Every structure is written in C-alpha cells, then in structure tokens.
C-alpha cells in the first residue's frame, strides 16, 4: 500500500476509528481550550457574541479572549495575541 493510502486509512473494515484519529478529532469536537481572536466587550460585535455563547453553553475548558488592547473581556483576562497565551490552545 502507498504511504499516502496508509495514512489516510484511519477507519478499519468494521468502521472503528483508530485511537489516533479519535484524539485528533477531540481537538475539534472536545477542545480543552479555545482562543477567540477578535473577542470584544462591545455587544454589537461578533466577538462579544462568540465569547458570550461559549460561556452560556457551559464550556468547562479554558477560554482565551484575544484582543490587541483590552486587558479584560467579559470578565476574562484577555491577551493581545495567541502567542501571549501561557498554555496550549486546542482551537
């Protein structure tokens, strides 16, 4: 089998996903940390609604608002860049 075909073949004949693929998908469907670039305290901006929606959804992971000037967004510490976030970011 070609290397590409082997790497793309993550699902076996019974439809079970490999553990590696499950772990990769967890970053998307079960993130432990999320950064929101463009987060805002202004209710008229999409960045406000995004943070607000994540908080309302009951997300239990770490939430990192990213804003170049504001230090606090909706009560959360904000960072000027994703490079300034002290932890790993899943999404």
């Amino acid at each position: 089998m070609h290397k590409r075909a082997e790497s793309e073949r993550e699902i076996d004949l019974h439809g079970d996903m490999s553990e590696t693929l499950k772990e990769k998908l967890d970053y998307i469907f079960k993130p432990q940390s999320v950064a929101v670039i463009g987060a805002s305290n202004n209710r008229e901006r999409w960045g406000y609604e995004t943070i607000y929606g994540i908080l309302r959804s009951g997300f239990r992971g770490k939430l990192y608002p990213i804003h170049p000037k504001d230090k606090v967004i909706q009560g959360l510490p904000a960072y000027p860049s994703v490079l300034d976030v002290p932890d790993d970011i899943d999404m």
Side-chain angles (χ1 to χ4, degrees):
M1 205 179 250
H2 293 87
K3 284 191 178 194
R4 181 175 176 185
E6 287 175 7
S7 66
E8 290 176 354
R9 191 168 185 184
E10 296 285 347
I11 300 176
D12 69 19
L13 296 175
H14 302 288
D16 295 328
M17 286 189 280
S18 73
E19 199 59 37
T20 303
L21 180 58
K22 286 180 185 178
E23 290 171 7
K24 289 178 182 177
L25 291 175
D26 279 349
Y27 286 108
I28 298 170
F29 295 109
K30 298 177 186 177
Q32 298 299 307
S33 60
V34 175
V36 178
I37 298 170
S40 178
N41 285 313
N42 182 341
R43 292 178 185 240
E44 297 178 10
R45 308 290 261 171
W46 73 266
Y48 178 90
E49 289 297 326
T50 303
I51 293 286
Y52 183 75
I54 292 170
L55 291 171
R56 266 191 79 185
S57 75
F59 178 68
R60 294 177 184 240
K62 296 176 182 177
L63 184 57
Y64 300 107
I66 308 298
H67 191 282
K69 296 178 186 171
D70 290 350
K71 302 290 184 207
V72 177
I73 302 284
Q74 296 185 45
L76 299 169
Y79 300 88
S81 163
V82 293
L83 300 175
D84 296 309
V85 174
D87 299 313
D88 291 334
I89 300 169
D90 289 344
M91 179 182 285

